[in-house]
Amino acid sequence: MAPLAFRTVLALVLLFLYLPLAVMAVMAFNQSPLYALPMVFDTIWFERLAQNERLIGAGLNSILIALANTVIATALGTMAALAFQRYTFRGSSLLQILLLPPITIPWLIIGTAMLVLFFWTGIGRGLHAILLGHVALSLPYVIVVVGARLRSFGVSLEEAAATLGAGPWTTFRRVTLPVIAPGVVAAALFAFAVSFDQFVISYFLAPPGVSTLPVEIYSAIRKGFTPEINAISTVIILVSMGLMLAVARLYRFGGER
Amino acid sequence: MTVGAVPAARAAPVARAGRERGLAAAGLIGPAYLWLLLTIFLPLSAMLLFSFLTVAPFGAREAEFTLKHYAAFFQKEFYRTLTWRSLRLGFDVTFWCVLIGYPTALALARHVPGRWREALFLLIVLPFWSNALVRVFSWTMVLRGGGLIDQAAQAVWPEAPSLGILFTYPAIVVGLVHSFLPYMILTCYLSLQAIEPSLEEAALSLGASPLTSFRRVTLPLSLPGMLVGVVLIFVPVIGSFMEPRILGGPEGIMLGTVIEDQFTVVFNWPLGAALSYILLAIVLLLIALAAPILGRPLAAASGR
């Protein structure tokens, strides 16, 4: 087939992927709440957004949970990755297979299952429950990303440090951590994005009156369209794409190329 | 978890006593897996239990063992239709993702020079990592009657009939293909990248036409990647509820939306649990069927 055909395919796919997002972003600046054309440029919906306490509160919850999730998932995930890459023990392969359910089972099933257990045992719903859920979803990603970095460096540097008399903690702090730092930072950004964009789990674990940004947006969409949702959605898209660009600088999705 | 410590072969010269290393490994791995136990494995077990109860055992209510929720699934026509609808949605979305995604991956891997390739690849996977809900919402503006498609059509031909397809089945398919297409492009691209260029060169120099070389060499070698993409798309699509709800309106009743209703509107948790487990059984069956194919990239990723 001609290269021209392939270029056309690529162009059409990019158009398909970005067109609706572009429309949404442009309409966020349209004065008409009914998205009427020709468009009249206005920042009224961003001003309304700045006064919408529900959305701002939900946004703060989202950021708070994403930050806590980042710290916890990155710490626990890096520890587990170290164990997998630097120790050999029985059950290691089985434990790595157990990382698949959080990624492969539909979130609907995981979310409703968490709701059942948390409600039943008295853990209850709320921001703490949402955080519990987000960390579980982020852990497998952190373990894989940090693990890949650990593996690509091998153990010779750590062996050298140990031979020269460094204890395990010193070896980790002075040798291992600086070497894997880009992987850890990429994993942390990843964890932040996973939590910040997570809707399904939060939806089932949010009690009335408490919500994260995606949960709030979902209920607003179901009640009827409002251009303020365009405005906040545009902000969210920019934030998460910015985050992923940062991850991409640190961690190549395509593996070794 | 049993942690019988055997020092890694390469670390053997500096290995401390086995027991100490075993404790260290357990200490490193314990917190993460305790967390997963509490948030994934115990909840799944609790939901399995609930699916066999007459009512949710809260407060003073007496719950008894029953199979009626599972029986209802097999007896009532409604649930079979529902499951079929969800499976059909999975087939349709996966079909379009393969049809669009594979040529795109091929174009990217074979017809884009290196410097551009990385940038384009990033552009394609970028939306995948942005908010799924927001991306679905953005389609409502394009697809609704009087939306972008309609206005564009009427700008050309003022008498044009409305092309708004919001709240129809095709709208759900469009939104889900938009959500999952990057996954297919990603997995196909990675497997195409892994093919030795010399294999295709050999086929060509031995007299195969480019089409034959593609059909006999490139396609079979990239098939595993495509199948990984198929599973990774099919599974979440049959469990979707937010996309059918927003884009499908009344047309969007799926297994996923009915499960959602059991937990958030009807409050029949045991029935919702049983339906979730039936969905899970379908998912696990699919993963088991694909396991031999899925296993390879997974093994490669874990480096064992």
Side-chain angles (χ1 to χ4, degrees):
Chain A
M1 267 184 275
L4 184 68
F6 280 114
R7 279 196 203 142
T8 314
V9 167
L10 270 175
L12 286 177
V13 164
L14 284 174
L15 188 70
F16 173 68
L17 288 177
Y18 283 94
L19 181 76
L21 298 178
V23 169
M24 184 179 71
V26 170
M27 286 300 153
F29 291 100
N30 192 353
Q31 195 182 46
S32 158
L34 298 168
Y35 312 131
L37 293 178
M39 111 163 226
V40 181
F41 181 87
D42 203 323
T43 53
I44 178 173
W45 305 114
F46 288 90
E47 284 154 26
R48 290 272 178 86
L49 178 63
Q51 291 156 9
N52 189 327
E53 280 171 22
R54 276 183 77 97
L55 275 175
I56 290 174
L60 289 178
N61 283 344
S62 274
I63 292 172
L64 195 70
I65 288 175
L67 286 175
N69 171 67
T70 304
V71 173
I72 298 170
T74 309
L76 300 190
T78 302
M79 285 162 62
L82 270 172
F84 283 132
Q85 298 301 328
R86 295 294 184 258
Y87 296 85
T88 313
F89 48 90
R90 258 180 286 146
S92 171
S93 324
L94 177 69
L95 285 174
Q96 290 187 57
I97 289 171
L98 286 182
L99 293 175
L100 285 178
I103 307 179
T104 47
I105 295 179
W107 290 332
L108 170 67
I109 297 176
I110 294 184
T112 51
M114 283 180 187
L115 172 61
V116 165
L117 182 87
F118 292 175
F119 205 84
W120 192 28
T121 55
I123 294 173
R125 293 176 295 174
L127 295 182
H128 63 291
I130 295 173
L131 177 62
L132 278 170
H134 286 194
V135 172
L137 296 188
S138 314
L139 272 174
Y141 292 110
V142 175
I143 295 175
V144 168
V145 171
V146 176
R149 181 84 186 175
L150 271 168
R151 194 168 52 244
S152 69
F153 276 92
V155 290
S156 44
L157 282 175
E158 290 156 27
E159 282 176 13
T163 314
L164 292 170
W169 175 240
T170 312
T171 307
F172 174 75
R173 201 167 46 86
R174 303 284 297 275
V175 178
T176 315
L177 194 57
V179 164
I180 63 170
V184 174
V185 173
L189 291 170
F190 222 95
F192 188 93
V194 165
S195 168
F196 191 72
D197 291 333
Q198 174 52 237
F199 159 67
V200 179
I201 304 276
S202 314
Y203 173 60
F204 287 109
L205 297 178
V210 176
S211 65
T212 63
L213 209 41
V215 175
E216 198 63 45
I217 291 174
Y218 183 64
S219 66
I221 294 173
R222 291 188 68 175
K223 276 179 217 146
F225 307 135
T226 100
E228 280 162 272
I229 298 300
N230 279 26
I232 188 72
S233 297
T234 306
V235 173
I236 290 177
I237 286 280
L238 290 177
V239 168
S240 37
M241 285 197 175
L243 270 176
M244 289 324 290
L245 277 176
V247 176
R249 285 189 71 90
L250 295 161
Y251 180 83
R252 294 194 164 191
F253 290 102
E256 289 89 343
R257 262 179 288 153
Chain B
M1 185 181 69
T2 46
V3 187
V6 186
R10 290 184 57 194
V14 289
R16 271 166 291 280
R19 172 170 305 211
E20 205 176 304
R21 286 185 62 84
L23 281 177
L28 285 171
I29 222 160
Y33 279 84
L34 279 177
W35 199 292
L36 290 178
L37 181 71
L38 178 69
T39 52
I40 305 284
F41 301 108
L42 283 180
L44 287 175
S45 315
M47 195 160 72
L48 184 63
L49 175 70
F50 267 54
S51 72
F52 289 109
L53 297 179
T54 46
V55 292
F58 301 136
R61 280 191 289 179
E62 279 295 312
E64 280 165 33
F65 178 85
T66 180
L67 286 170
K68 72 173 180 185
H69 308 299
Y70 289 98
F73 179 84
F74 291 101
Q75 281 158 4
K76 287 188 189 162
E77 176 95 30
F78 172 66
Y79 293 113
R80 251 172 297 150
T81 316
L82 208 59
T83 309
W84 173 239
R85 283 176 63 92
S86 288
L87 288 175
R88 196 183 125 210
L89 185 66
F91 286 125
D92 286 343
V93 171
T94 311
F95 171 79
W96 286 106
C97 284
V98 172
L99 201 69
I100 304 171
Y102 191 85
T104 310
L106 198 62
L108 201 59
R110 294 286 185 274
H111 297 274
V112 175
R115 198 158 43 92
W116 284 93
R117 192 183 300 160
E118 229 164 286
L120 278 177
F121 180 74
L122 195 59
L123 267 180
I124 286 170
V125 293
L126 203 53
F128 187 65
W129 290 109
S130 67
N131 197 292
L133 177 68
V134 167
R135 282 190 297 149
V136 168
F137 170 58
S138 72
W139 274 104
T140 63
M141 261 163 272
V142 178
L143 297 177
R144 75 204 181 89
L148 183 88
I149 289 183
D150 264 12
Q151 297 197 11
Q154 276 153 14
V156 181
W157 179 37
E159 307 295 310
S162 174
L163 297 172
I165 59 163
L166 188 59
F167 304 138
T168 64
Y169 181 79
I172 309 174
V173 175
V174 169
L176 283 167
V177 169
H178 184 251
S179 294
F180 290 104
L181 182 62
Y183 235 152
M184 181 59 73
I185 299 175
L186 179 74
T187 55
C188 289
Y189 174 76
L190 291 182
S191 68
L192 283 167
Q193 281 291 86
I195 297 173
E196 280 286 331
S198 58
L199 289 175
E200 287 163 14
E201 285 160 21
L204 291 174
S205 71
L206 290 170
S209 70
L211 194 63
T212 311
S213 154
F214 171 74
R215 197 167 50 84
R216 302 282 300 273
V217 178
T218 315
L219 186 62
L221 285 172
S222 58
L223 221 47
M226 189 204 289
L227 288 172
V228 171
V230 165
V231 174
L232 290 181
I233 292 171
F234 196 86
V235 166
V237 168
I238 60 173
S240 64
F241 69 94
M242 170 267 279
E243 297 89 346
R245 189 76 86 186
I246 294 175
L247 295 172
E251 288 291 305
I253 299 173
M254 297 285 157
L255 195 51
T257 59
V258 170
I259 294 175
E260 180 205 0
D261 281 342
Q262 298 311 317
F263 284 96
T264 58
V265 182
V266 187
F267 296 108
N268 188 346
W269 287 18
L271 177 61
L275 292 175
S276 275
Y277 255 87
I278 287 164
L279 178 62
L280 185 59
I282 298 171
V283 167
L284 290 180
L285 189 69
L286 284 168
I287 291 179
L289 285 175
I293 310 155
L294 285 172
R296 257 177 287 163
L298 188 74
S302 63
R304 314 234 165 223

